[in-house]
C-alpha cells in the first residue's frame, strides 16, 4: 500500500464522480440527505477510504457500500467523524467502481440526523465514472424508504436499521435501467395525510424544498435543507410517485389532534365500510395539486403513479385524480401503473415489503418503463 | 370391467354433477357453449366414458379432461359422434373425480360449432360432487379464451388448437379459490370495439343472451343461444371483467368498413401519439354502460375490472369509466385491479399470454380476491 | 383444404423424417416400441393426419403430439385403427414441424400392446427435417418411463395414463441438447432385480434385444421385438443409465417366489438397517456386467450413470460397481452423476417425479452433459 | 437508554450464550477462529454493544451480525479494539436474539489474523438462548469458506471481503435444521493437496488441532490454536465433508516446488485427459485416512461426503475411497451425496458459488440430512 492522499469530494471533477440524490447549495462536505443519496467513483490504486461525519439523536443513520456493483458492507454510524475503508490490498492497476450511500431516509423525526461526506483517501487515480443517460425521481413513503427491507418478519420496532436503499425497488430499478436516480420519501406520509390522519405529513408540503424532511435546527440552517430546491439542476425523465398507502391507512386509524391548529382530523369510513366520499375527494384534490406541482417543476418528465405494493385500495381514487388532472391540464404525459402486492411469501419486517417484494416490484417496473419510455 | 351402462347427463341429479359455464334451457344433450364449459362427476367403478356430439366448419372444438384435478388429456374433435374413455381399469371402489370441458371459446366465426354432451357410460355409481360455495364470472377477450396458451411462441395462425380453458388464468383462479365459474369471452372483441375497429365486436352486445357469440343458424335455433340469459339461475359473487386490450389495439389499426351500416370506423390517435379524446370517451361510455348492465343483472356481485395482461394502456380510461359509474350510480361495489403484464419470459403463441403468464395472473388475482372478498 | 394423399411412413426418405426410439427390422408399419418412440416430419400444406393401428389389453397406449416443438395434444388409444388430425386449416406455405410419439413405455405386462404407424395424410410436401448431431440413449425404470408424470399426487393406481414421454426428463434433456434419443425403460425393474425382489425384472436381460420388454406372442413374432438389436444401426454419444431405484427398494420388500425356478428371493437388510453385503454385491456384480454389455455394444459412447431422483441410497454401491468396472476394463469413459431428489414440492402421482422434478433433473443433466461432452 | 454495563463473555453462563465454532482452552477473550465462529445471546434492554479486538496484516477479518435471525450488518475490521453497537433504542422488555460472527475463514496466510470477543455491553438481562439439539461439523475448502459469496462476478482478487459465513450453505443448512455447527475450511486446500499441487495444503493435517490453520506466532501461542483439539468437548451428529474440488484442480495446474522438502509435486493427467491412476490413488488414500481420522475422533457421527458445487470430477475417486474405507472398517455410517453444481445463473465472484448456489446447495442438503438422519 502506497501512502494515501486525501481528496475533498468537492474537488473531484464531475466526470470523475457520480452523486446520487438531491443536493442544495452545500457541496463540501457533501450532505447525503435521503436514502439512496451517495457517491460513486471509479479509482485505481490498492486502497480506498471514505471520510464522513454524522450526527443523530434517536435515529442513527446507516450506510452501505458496493464494489463493482456488488453489495459489500452495511453498518450503523453513530455521531462523530468516520473513516471507513471501502477496499484495501486490491490489484492497483485495475479500476474499481465503488458506491457509498445512505441507507436511512431523511429523518423528519430526528432533527440532528445528518451524513456529510468529506472526501476520499486513495493511493490511485480517479477514472471516468459511468454516464447515466436516464434519470428517475422516486417519490414515496415507507415503501420507498425501504422500511422493513431488513429485519425479521416478526420485528415491529420502528427503527432506522430496518430501512434501506440497498434492498429497495427504487435502487434496483435505477440500476437495471442504468439510470441516475433521486429518492424523496418518508415513512408514514401520504399525498394528503399520514397513516395516522396527521395532515401535516404529506409529501407535497416538502417537495419543493431541498429536503423539507430534514427540518430541525441547526441542521437545516447548516445544510440549507429548507431552501427552495433548484429543479433546473436535475430534470428527471420519469417521476415515479409511489404514494397513497398511508392515505389509505388513515381511514382505519383513530382521529388525531393537530397541535398546529388545535383541530382533530380523521378520514372517515361509511357504515358499509366504504370510504367517505368527502374524504376521498380530499385525497383526490391533494393528488391533483401534487401532479400540478410536479409538472410545474419538471416540465418534460413522464409522471408514473406507481402504487400497490401494500394493497391497491386507492386505485380508483388515485386514477380519478390523475384523470381530473389530465382533464384540467390537457397534459397526457402521466400514467398509472399498479405494482405487485406484497404477500406472506415476500413480506419483510413489520409487514412491509421484503427483499422479494422489492425485487418483484422492480422487475415489473423496469418492464413498464422500458415499454413506456422506449428504453 | 363390468358392463357399462349409459346415463343421460340430464338424468344425473344436481348433487351428483357440477356443470360449469352458462346454460340456456337446453339440458339434454348438454351444450358446452364456452371454453371452460364442462361437467364434473365423482364416480366409483373401473371405467368411465363420455358420449358427446360435435359439429364445426373451420374452427373445430377441442376438449380436455382431468382426473382428480390433474390434467390427463386434450384432443381435437371433428364433426360427429364421439365416445371417449376418460379412465379405465381403475380400482373400482375408490371414488374418482373427473372433469370434461370445452377448450375452445364460443365461436362467433364458425356458425356450425357446437359441443353437446349426451351422457356418461360407467360401471360404478355417481357420488356426491364437491359443492363450490363461491361463484366467479370471467368476461374477457382472447386472453380469457386462452388464445396462445398452447403453441410455440413463433406460431401465428389463428386457430382453435391454440386456445384453451386448461391453461387459463380463469380456470386456475377458480380452482385455487375452490369456486364454480363461468367464462364469457371472445378473441378480438372489446368493451366498445374489436381490435380491428369493428364496433360490432363488443362483449356487451352479447352479454345478456345465453351465448350471443354462437349466433349461426341453425345452431342458435337448436340450442337457444340467442335467447335471453336467465341471470337468476346463477348469480356470481364476483365478476372479473378482463376487457380493454382490443379497444386499446384499435387505435393502432386501420379503419374498417362496417357492412351493417356502410360506415367506416377508426379509433384515432392524436399527432403526439396519445389517444383522441373523443374516441377515448367512446370506450369510457361503453364501459360505463356495461357496468350498468352487469349490475342490473347481478345485483350483489363484486365487479372487479382486471386488466393488464397484454399492456396497461387503458388503465386511465377504464378507471375513468369506473369512477364515472361510481359517481352516477353511487355503487361502490366495483374495483379496478391490474394484472401482471406478459413478458418475453411468459409469452405463449402469437404474442399472447403463455402458461407462465396465466399462472402469474392467477396467483395475484387469487390473492386479490381473497383480500377483497374475505375469502 | 386440398385433397389429402396418403404416404406410407416407410416411403418417406431419411432426410424427410426423424424416427425416435429403437427399431428392429420392421419399418412398415413402423412400430413405436418405447415411450418417446415416435416420428417427426416437417411439412407444408394446410392439414396433416396420421394413420396408425394399436392393440392392447389392460394397458392401453397413450400418444402425444407436438406442433413446432409445443405440446398440443395427448390421448388414450384403444385397440383398432386410428386416424388422427395433427393440424388443419393452417397457412399452407409455412413449414410445420410435427412430432407424434408414444407416451406409454414398452409394456412387459401387456402382451398385446403395440402402436404401429402406417403413414401420414397431407396436402403439402415433406421438407427436410432437423438433423440432430447428438445421440443419447436413456436406460431406466419407472422414472424414465415418466410414471406419475401425469396424475394427481393422491393417485395410486398403476395405469398407463400416468406414464409419459411428454413430461419426462429424457425428452426434455434431448430437446434442450438438440439431440436424437432412445428410451429403454421399464417401471419396477432394476439393474439386478425389480422393486419386489423379482430377479427376472432386470434391464440387462432385455437390453440386447430390439425390445425385450414386448415379449408377448404374437406381437413379438410380428414385430421382431425379441430379435437381437442391431447396435450398429444407431450408436449413441452418451448413454444415461438411470437404474438402481428399484434395486434399492427391494431391500424393504418381502421375499418373492420366482415361478421360473421355484426359488424365493429377497434382498436382505442387516439388523442395523444397513444393506446385507452379499446382496449389495449382487447389485454391484450386475451393474459391472451391465457396463460391460453397454461397452461391448456401444464402443465409443460415454456412459453416465445418473441416479438419485427418488433417493440416493445406492450411491456407494453403484459407484463401487463403476469403479470395479473401471479397474477391470481400464475404461475411463464412464461417470457417475447424481440427479436431484424428488421432494414434496416436485412430486407427481403415486410418489414418483412430477413435472417439476423432471424439469429440475433435466436442467442439471443438460448442464452436466454440456460440460462433460464439450457440447 | 439506561446506563450500559459491561459483561465479560466468559462470565455468561452456558444457558445464556451459544458459542458457534471450535474452541480451545482460551475463553476470555473468546477467539473466533473460523468463519461462522460467533456468539448468540438473547437479551432484554434497549441497547446492545459488543467489544472485541482484532489483528491482521494483509487479510483483515470481516464480521457480520443478525437480529432475530435476520442479517443486519457486515463490516471490515482493521487491527485494534472495537466496540460495535448491535442494536439501540429498542423496546426494552422484548427479548432480542443476536448473533455476531466472523465472516473470514481461519487465515493460514495471515499470521496475525485474529478476532477476540471480550464481552457485551447492555442495559437489560441475558435470557435463555435457544438449545440446538443437532450438531453439524462442516469441513471444506473455499466453497465452505464462502469465497466469492460476496463480490461481483467479474471480481478476481483473492481478498478477505469476498468470503463469508453469512452467505454460506453451511450456515443456511444449520439454521434450516435448527442446528449448532462448526466450520473448518480453507480456500485452496484439499483432502490430499491444494489446488496448486501443494501437498502441505491438506485439511487432514490440521484437523486434529484446535485451529491448525491459525499457525502464526505469536497468535498460535497466545490462543493455543496448534494444541490438540478436545473432540470430546463437542461431538457432532453429522460431519459434512465438502472436499475434493482443489484436489481435482491440481491435475490441471503446473508442478509446484515444496520448500519443505525441496521436491516438486504435480498431479498428472494421462494423454487422453483422464487422471493418472497413481495420482488418483494418492487422493483416495488420503481420503480413506481422513475418514479413519474423522471416525476415530467422532465415533458416532454420520459422515456425509458432500461434493459437487464446483463440478463433480472426483465423484468416482471419492466414492472409491469411501467404499475402500467401508470395506476396511466395516463402518457403514458414511455416505456420499452430490451437491448441485454452480452455473452461470448461480455463480458469485471469481467463479465461486454465489448466493443462489449456496441456497440451492443448502436446500438439497437439508432435504438429504432430514431423510438420512430422520430429522
Amino acid at each position: 500500500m502506497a501512502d494515501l492522499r486525501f481528496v475533498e469530494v468537492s474537488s473531484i471533477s464531475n466526470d470523475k464522480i457520480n452523486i446520487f440524490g438531491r443536493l442544495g447549495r452545500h457541496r463540501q462536505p457533501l450532505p447525503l440527505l435521503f436514502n439512496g443519496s451517495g457517491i460513486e467513483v471509479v479509482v485505481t490504486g490498492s486502497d480506498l477510504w471514505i471520510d464522513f461525519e454524522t450526527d443523530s439523536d434517536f435515529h442513527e443513520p446507516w450506510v452501505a457500500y458496493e464494489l463493482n456493483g456488488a453489495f459489500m458492507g452495511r453498518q450503523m454510524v453513530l455521531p462523530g467523524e468516520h473513516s471507513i475503508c471501502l477496499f484495501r490490498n486490491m490489484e492497483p492497476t485495475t479500476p474499481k467502481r465503488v458506491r457509498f450511500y445512505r441507507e436511512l431516509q431523511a429523518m423528519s423525526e430526528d432533527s440532528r440526523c445528518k451524513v456529510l461526506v468529506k472526501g476520499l483517501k486513495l493511493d490511485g487515480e480517479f477514472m471516468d465514472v459511468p454516464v447515466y443517460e436516464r434519470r428517475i425521481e422516486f417519490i414515496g413513503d415507507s415503501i420507498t424508504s425501504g422500511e422493513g427491507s431488513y429485519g425479521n418478519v416478526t420485528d415491529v420496532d420502528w427503527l432506522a436499521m430496518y430501512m434501506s436503499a440497498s434492498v429497495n425497488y427504487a435502487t434496483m430499478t435505477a440500476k437495471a435501467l442504468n439510470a441516475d436516480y433521486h429518492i424523496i420519501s418518508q415513512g408514514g406520509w401520504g399525498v394528503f395525510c399520514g397513516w395516522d390522519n396527521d395532515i401535516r405529513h404529506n409529501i407535497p408540503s416538502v417537495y419543493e424544498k431541498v429536503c423539507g424532511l430534514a427540518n430541525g435546527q441547526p441542521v437545516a440552517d447548516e445544510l440549507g435543507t429548507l431552501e427552495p430546491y433548484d429543479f433546473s439542476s436535475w430534470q428527471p425523465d420519469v417521476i415515479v410517485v409511489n404514494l397513497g398507502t398511508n392515505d389509505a391507512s388513515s381511514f382505519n386509524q383513530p382521529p388525531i389532534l393537530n397541535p398546529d391548529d388545535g383541530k382533530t382530523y380523521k378520514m372517515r369510513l361509511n357504515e358499509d365500510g366504504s370510504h367517505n366520499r368527502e374524504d376521498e375527494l380530499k385525497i383526490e384534490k391533494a393528488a391533483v395539486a401534487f401532479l400540478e406541482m410536479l409538472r410545474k417543476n419538471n416540465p418534460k418528465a413522464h409522471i408514473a403513479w406507481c402504487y400497490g405494493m401494500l394493497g391497491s385500495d386507492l386505485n380508483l381514487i388515485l386514477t380519478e385524480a390523475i384523470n381530473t388532472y389530465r382533464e384540467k391540464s390537457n397534459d397526457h404525459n402521466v400514467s398509472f401503473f399498479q405494482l405487485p402486492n406484497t404477500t406472506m411469501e415476500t413480506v419483510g419486517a413489520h409487514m412491509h415489503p421484503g427483499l422479494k417484494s422489492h425485487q418483484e416490484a422492480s422487475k415489473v417496473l423496469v418492464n413498464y418503463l422500458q415499454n413506456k419510455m422506449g428504453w
Side-chain angles (χ1 to χ4, degrees), chain A:
Chain A
M1 182 176 79
D3 286 339
L4 299 177
R5 72 183 192 283
F6 176 77
V7 179
E8 286 202 339
V9 68
S10 64
S11 70
I12 306 170
S13 63
N14 284 346
D15 56 336
K16 300 288 188 287
I17 187 168
N18 283 319
I19 298 176
F20 300 101
R22 272 195 185 182
L23 285 179
R25 60 184 161 76
H26 285 262
R27 305 293 166 105
Q28 185 61 42
L30 179 78
L32 304 182
L33 299 169
F34 300 88
N35 61 317
S37 290
I39 64 163
E40 177 178 59
V41 293
V42 177
V43 296
T44 57
S46 65
D47 292 32
L48 180 69
W49 292 63
I50 189 163
D51 287 4
F52 61 104
E53 176 195 347
T54 68
D55 197 9
S56 59
D57 182 7
F58 190 92
H59 295 291
E60 77 288 342
W62 285 62
V63 294
Y65 25 101
E66 298 177 0
L67 178 63
N68 294 325
F71 175 88
M72 203 53 67
R74 178 180 194 264
Q75 64 190 77
M76 179 191 290
V77 277
L78 291 172
E81 301 284 337
H82 309 274
S83 191
I84 289 182
C85 179
L86 297 175
F87 65 76
R88 61 192 290 270
N89 295 329
M90 293 196 76
E91 198 289 312
T93 64
T94 308
K96 273 78 66 175
R97 182 166 59 91
V98 172
R99 277 197 200 192
F100 172 90
Y101 53 92
R102 176 173 171 150
E103 287 277 85
L104 178 64
Q105 68 174 13
M107 282 308 306
S108 60
E109 299 188 17
D110 189 327
S111 59
R112 283 170 49 195
C113 190
K114 66 178 179 187
V115 179
L116 305 176
V117 176
K118 297 183 163 178
L120 297 162
K121 287 183 293 195
L122 73 167
D123 58 357
E125 301 301 323
F126 289 101
M127 314 295 284
D128 284 352
V129 288
V131 176
Y132 301 112
E133 305 280 4
R134 300 161 183 169
R135 292 173 167 180
I136 311 176
E137 182 177 75
F138 294 89
I139 301 169
D141 47 35
S142 58
I143 297 167
T144 308
S145 290
E147 197 174 320
S149 61
Y150 283 81
N152 188 287
V153 69
T154 60
D155 290 331
V156 293
D157 282 19
W158 199 80
L159 293 172
M161 65 180 164
Y162 299 129
M163 303 190 211
S164 85
S166 57
V167 173
N168 190 311
Y169 79 95
T171 302
M172 294 170 187
T173 301
K175 281 189 169 194
L177 292 168
N178 212 27
D180 185 13
Y181 75 122
H182 285 182
I183 289 176
I184 299 100
S185 66
Q186 192 68 193
W189 288 37
V191 65
F192 170 69
C193 69
W195 71 281
D196 56 359
N197 285 295
D198 193 327
I199 59 162
R200 298 170 303 173
H201 291 165
N202 70 84
I203 293 289
S205 66
V206 299
Y207 179 73
E208 293 184 313
K209 297 171 186 169
V210 169
C211 179
L213 298 152
N215 55 7
Q217 308 299 341
V219 169
D221 287 346
E222 174 193 353
L223 303 181
T225 55
L226 300 183
E227 296 172 10
Y229 178 57
D230 175 11
F231 286 94
S232 71
S233 64
W234 195 87
Q235 283 281 304
D237 300 299
V238 176
I239 300 174
V240 171
V241 185
N242 190 343
L243 287 173
T245 301
N246 289 303
D247 300 280
S249 297
S250 66
F251 287 94
N252 302 304
Q253 296 296 322
I256 196 170
L257 178 71
N258 180 355
D260 291 355
D261 62 10
K263 291 187 191 168
T264 294
Y265 289 86
K266 166 75 184 121
M267 301 291 273
R268 295 159 293 171
L269 291 175
N270 297 323
E271 289 193 1
D272 66 356
S274 60
H275 296 147
N276 176 283
R277 182 65 181 156
E278 281 178 31
D279 290 343
E280 277 191 348
L281 290 174
K282 289 174 192 165
I283 297 172
E284 184 184 331
K285 191 176 161 191
V288 171
F290 191 36
L291 290 168
E292 290 168 343
M293 180 190 288
L294 292 173
R295 178 57 71 222
K296 183 184 69 179
N297 293 306
N298 307 279
K300 294 187 179 168
H302 177 72
I303 304 172
W305 203 300
C306 298
Y307 165 79
M309 288 171 72
L310 288 173
S312 52
D313 282 359
L314 288 201
N315 272 3
L316 290 176
I317 304 309
L318 296 174
T319 51
E320 189 171 25
I322 298 168
N323 280 314
T324 300
Y325 167 74
R326 291 209 307 159
E327 192 75 22
K328 277 180 69 177
S329 66
N330 203 28
D331 169 17
H332 295 286
N333 195 15
V334 55
S335 65
F336 176 80
F337 184 70
Q338 186 184 310
L339 295 173
N341 196 14
T342 298
T343 67
M344 284 303 102
E345 295 168 6
T346 66
V347 76
H350 45 94
M351 297 308 292
H352 274 72
L355 169 62
K356 285 185 187 167
S357 178
H358 280 280
Q359 287 174 329
E360 282 186 4
S362 176
K363 189 174 180 184
V364 302
L365 183 52
V366 165
N367 180 265
Y368 176 67
L369 293 179
Q370 285 173 328
N371 289 334
K372 192 77 189 177
M373 304 300 293
W375 284 350

